[in-house]
Amino acid sequence: LHASQSATWQAVTRQTFLRSRVFLEKVAQNDARMTHTMLRRAASVAAARVSASVVRQHQRIPRRGLVDLNPPPKPFPNATSTSASAKVAAVLPGLGLAFGVAQCGFVFADKISTRTGVSVSGVPLAILAGAALNNLPNYRVVNSTLCTPGVSFAKSGLLKLGIACVGLKLSAADVASVGLCSIPIVLTSVTAGLVVVPLLAKRAGLRPKLGQLLAVGTGVCGVTAISALAPVIGATSAEVSIAVANVAAFGTIGMLLLPTVAHTLLGDVPQAAGALLGTGIHDTAQVFGAALTYRNAYNDDAAFEVAAVTKLTRNLSLAIAIPWLAAGVTNAGSSHSIGTANTGGGASQALVRKAIPSFLVFFLLASVARGAGDAYFGSKNLETHLAWQRAVHLVGTEFGAKQCLGTAMAGVGLSLSFKAFAGVGVKP
């Protein structure tokens, strides 16, 4: 009985399971058909809607190009101000270092002058202090990314600002008279440098291009002239480095020693002392440093002004010196002739920009403003005229000549590296 009941139960269970499976399969098939039908209907409705939308858009707006479909991103409204503030922040540390070195030089010079009774200028002290600071062993603050932008701005941008402000110390008539008197001296010194230095370089066995770079750096305006001539004659980087190292070495020595020599030999004639400073030193920054040293040490504005105008007149001779020296290199049989790319209109425009730099233009504009101001305020009452004179003294002497040029000279010292002179040799 038990066995028959168990068999019956198993048969019923199997039959029930089979019926349930058949039912579930039918339900699944129906669901699949319904789902497929619903999906097809939904897809057709969506396609119809998209097609209608495209037709409406096509009828309403014109066809657009790729630029309109993907326009460039608009800059943020404060992008310019952010970049300007970032540049100012990058310049401040190095500029503050140069300013601090300059002020230390002025303070120590005043103390030495007070105790010894000998007039000492703070400019050479600032240069020597900056050079010593830059060449200390294992000292990398000056050459770090923190200070390099500010030091570079001090010796370049601040120098140009100082030169422009110094223009207020001279009227246009003074600049014209001093400039005309300095033209024979400038022509003589520049011509002697451009002729004698290449001959000496040839006798020393130097390459013609290096001789021309040394000539233009010595006779015209230092590093600026070298950088202008190098691409015209196709000079190598090694030749440019040697020429720049010589200008830096002898120009720095002249900047430190020539003011004393000029006062000893020509102290009774300030104009002659200023002409010696303007023609006897290489670079523009070095000439203004020596002239400022002379002015501070011997309280002589006339020599300072003559040196400034004489040096700026030398800069104008760059437009004549470059073609002359380039032709000399070509005639000497150099293996690299002057390329057409370097002698075209672009090179001529670049040469004009170097021969007439922006700070020279602003110097002349400031001198014109000084002359116009003297003529206008001179006709007013005495108090107004004295106020104009105080303003000119404040901008031209205190701010331009002392602070700007003093800080620029400290930047020159902070940029002077003794490693640049390694391997130069005696002949150059």
Side-chain angles (χ1 to χ4, degrees):
L1 180 60
H2 180 73
S4 62
Q5 290 179 351
S6 177
T8 303
W9 175 253
Q10 289 178 0
V12 171
T13 303
R14 187 181 299 109
Q15 186 176 5
T16 304
F17 174 74
L18 292 175
R19 291 179 178 177
S20 299
R21 188 176 66 180
V22 171
F23 175 76
L24 292 174
E25 289 177 353
K26 290 181 178 180
V27 170
Q29 292 176 358
N30 293 332
D31 290 341
R33 284 195 296 269
M34 292 178 61
T35 303
H36 182 67
T37 303
M38 293 174 63
L39 290 175
R40 289 182 61 183
R41 290 179 179 176
S44 62
V45 171
R49 291 181 177 177
V50 170
S51 177
S53 176
V54 170
V55 171
R56 288 194 300 270
Q57 292 291 334
H58 182 73
Q59 293 175 351
R60 187 166 57 240
I61 62 174
R63 187 180 298 273
R64 297 183 298 176
L66 293 177
V67 177
D68 298 324
L69 294 175
N70 188 19
K74 295 182 179 180
F76 292 104
N78 58 348
T80 304
S81 60
T82 302
S83 113
S85 61
K87 290 180 180 179
V88 172
V91 164
L92 285 179
L95 183 60
L97 177 63
F99 179 77
V101 171
Q103 298 308 311
C104 290
F106 292 145
V107 170
F108 280 112
D110 291 339
K111 291 184 177 180
I112 293 173
S113 300
T114 302
R115 292 185 179 183
T116 62
V118 178
S119 181
V120 178
S121 174
V123 175
L125 296 182
I127 296 172
L128 294 175
L133 189 63
N134 189 37
N135 291 275
L136 288 176
N138 299 325
Y139 190 78
R140 300 180 179 178
V141 174
V142 178
N143 294 322
S144 65
T145 56
L146 180 65
C147 293
T148 299
V151 172
S152 299
F153 175 77
K155 69 176 184 177
S156 177
L158 206 60
L159 173 68
K160 297 175 182 178
L161 177 61
I163 293 174
C165 292
V166 167
L168 286 174
K169 295 171 62 64
L170 292 166
S171 65
D174 295 333
V175 173
S177 61
V178 174
L180 289 175
C181 295
S182 65
I183 286 178
I185 302 173
V186 170
L187 289 178
T188 303
S189 63
V190 170
T191 304
L194 298 182
V195 172
V196 174
V197 173
L199 294 177
L200 294 177
K202 184 178 180 180
R203 293 183 64 87
L206 300 178
R207 293 184 295 274
K209 294 179 182 179
L210 179 56
Q212 306 292 10
L213 291 177
L214 293 173
V216 76
T218 302
V220 183
C221 54
V223 177
T224 302
I226 293 173
S227 63
L229 179 64
V232 176
I233 64 175
T236 64
S237 59
E239 293 169 338
V240 174
S241 300
I242 292 174
V244 170
N246 277 271
V247 167
F250 289 100
T252 302
I253 294 172
M255 179 173 54
L256 297 175
L257 299 181
L258 202 58
T260 303
V261 175
H263 182 71
T264 302
L265 299 178
L266 305 169
D268 296 335
V269 187
Q271 291 78 8
L276 177 60
L277 296 177
T279 56
I281 306 176
H282 302 67
D283 206 51
T284 303
Q286 297 163 351
V287 170
F288 275 87
L292 184 60
T293 300
Y294 193 96
R295 174 189 170 276
N296 294 340
Y298 307 111
N299 195 21
D300 193 337
D301 280 333
F304 177 85
E305 294 165 359
V306 171
V309 176
T310 303
K311 181 64 185 76
L312 296 179
T313 306
R314 277 176 62 195
N315 288 354
L316 293 176
S317 65
L318 185 64
I320 302 174
I322 298 298
W324 182 9
L325 293 176
V329 170
T330 305
N331 295 331
S334 177
S335 58
H336 297 84
S337 61
I338 303 174
T340 57
N342 294 332
T343 57
S348 301
Q349 294 177 1
L351 183 59
V352 171
R353 286 195 297 269
K354 286 185 176 294
I356 308 177
S358 58
F359 63 84
L360 175 57
V361 176
F362 286 112
F363 177 89
L364 296 176
L365 291 177
S367 66
V368 171
R370 168 65 187 273
D374 289 345
Y376 177 77
F377 292 105
S379 61
K380 303 294 181 181
N381 55 49
L382 180 62
E383 183 179 355
T384 304
H385 182 68
L386 292 178
W388 164 249
Q389 294 294 331
R390 287 193 297 268
V392 167
H393 177 77
L394 178 63
V395 176
T397 302
E398 292 298 325
F399 177 72
K402 182 177 181 180
Q403 300 302 334
C404 290
L405 293 182
T407 305
M409 293 304 104
V412 171
L414 290 169
S415 303
L416 185 61
S417 176
F418 297 151
K419 295 180 181 179
F421 308 126
V424 172
V426 178
K427 291 182 178 180

